Amino acid sequence: KVAEQAIQSAENCSSSDWNSTVTHKAAEAAAQAQKKSAEAIARARMAEERLSAERKSTVFWRRQAQAAEEEAGSLKTRSAGAEVKQAVLMEELASERRKAARMFASLRQEFVNAEKVHTKELNDTQERKRDLEMELEHVNKELKETKAEVQRIVDAEEERKARGSNRMALSFRSARKK
């Protein structure tokens, strides 16, 4: 407004007086003040825009940080869950290994015991075979002796028949003495 008033009063003056008038100087000062004011307003507007952009950026990065924290928390939770699951699986695996080791040891012991029983049965069978072979030899020997005895009796009987009945009594006596 000051500049406008200075311009109006300058229009009323002549051009030679214009440069030396207070109005001219006031008009120049007002123009410079208006220019500085416009620059200050522009700077203030740019500062406000930057501040607004910074606020938006801050809000954006705050949200990003919050989302990252939430995701990190979720990942930590999942990681802890996976660790617990892994621990449970490892315990189950160890339990299965212990069970398998016990079963293997039990089967090994059963095999050793069965092998001992089998070996004992085999030894008993072989011993029984030897006993039976010896008994068979003894029975064969007795059979041969009995055959020989029967043959002697048959021979003595035939000799008695050939010689007569008195001689038979002597043959028996002689056969018994042998």
Side-chain angles (χ1 to χ4, degrees):
K1 281 189 168 188
V2 173
E4 287 176 14
Q5 288 174 356
I7 290 170
Q8 285 174 359
S9 82
E11 287 174 353
N12 296 335
C13 291
S14 66
S15 64
S16 62
D17 292 338
W18 171 248
N19 288 333
S20 63
T21 63
V22 174
T23 307
H24 176 263
K25 293 199 183 220
E28 282 181 348
Q32 282 182 353
Q34 193 173 11
K35 183 179 175 186
K36 286 182 182 179
S37 173
E39 287 174 357
I41 290 173
R43 282 194 306 268
R45 189 173 295 134
M46 285 177 56
E48 284 178 13
E49 287 175 3
R50 275 189 266 140
L51 181 61
S52 174
E54 282 294 322
R55 284 181 181 155
K56 287 179 183 177
S57 176
T58 302
V59 168
F60 171 78
W61 287 114
R62 188 175 292 139
R63 285 182 186 153
Q64 291 294 335
Q66 186 177 8
E69 286 176 4
E70 288 174 3
E71 186 175 352
S74 172
L75 291 175
K76 283 181 182 179
T77 303
R78 286 176 57 195
S79 172
E83 287 175 4
V84 168
K85 195 175 199 178
Q86 181 185 15
V88 167
L89 289 175
M90 292 302 288
E91 181 56 35
E92 286 178 8
L93 178 62
S95 174
E96 289 297 320
R97 283 183 178 159
R98 288 189 299 268
K99 218 184 280 184
R102 283 192 305 268
M103 186 179 292
F104 181 73
S106 173
L107 288 173
R108 179 186 288 158
Q109 188 61 42
E110 284 179 27
F111 177 76
V112 167
N113 291 341
E115 191 174 23
K116 285 178 183 177
V117 168
H118 180 68
T119 302
K120 186 178 183 307
E121 287 175 353
L122 184 61
N123 289 339
D124 290 347
T125 303
Q126 287 175 345
E127 188 176 325
R128 176 124 169 87
K129 178 186 169 192
R130 284 190 295 273
D131 290 345
L132 288 173
E133 285 173 347
M134 289 173 53
E135 189 176 335
L136 180 62
E137 283 179 28
H138 182 66
V139 168
N140 282 338
K141 185 178 174 186
E142 285 180 0
L143 182 61
K144 284 180 184 177
E145 289 174 2
T146 305
K147 256 184 170 179
E149 182 75 26
V150 168
Q151 189 62 41
R152 279 192 298 258
I153 292 173
V154 168
D155 290 344
E157 184 65 30
E158 287 177 4
E159 189 181 320
R160 185 190 61 82
K161 285 184 183 179
R163 291 188 184 172
S165 65
N166 287 338
R167 300 243 171 209
M168 185 173 134
L170 290 173
S171 302
F172 274 124
R173 286 183 198 152
S174 62
R176 284 184 187 166
K177 288 180 184 178
K178 291 180 185 176

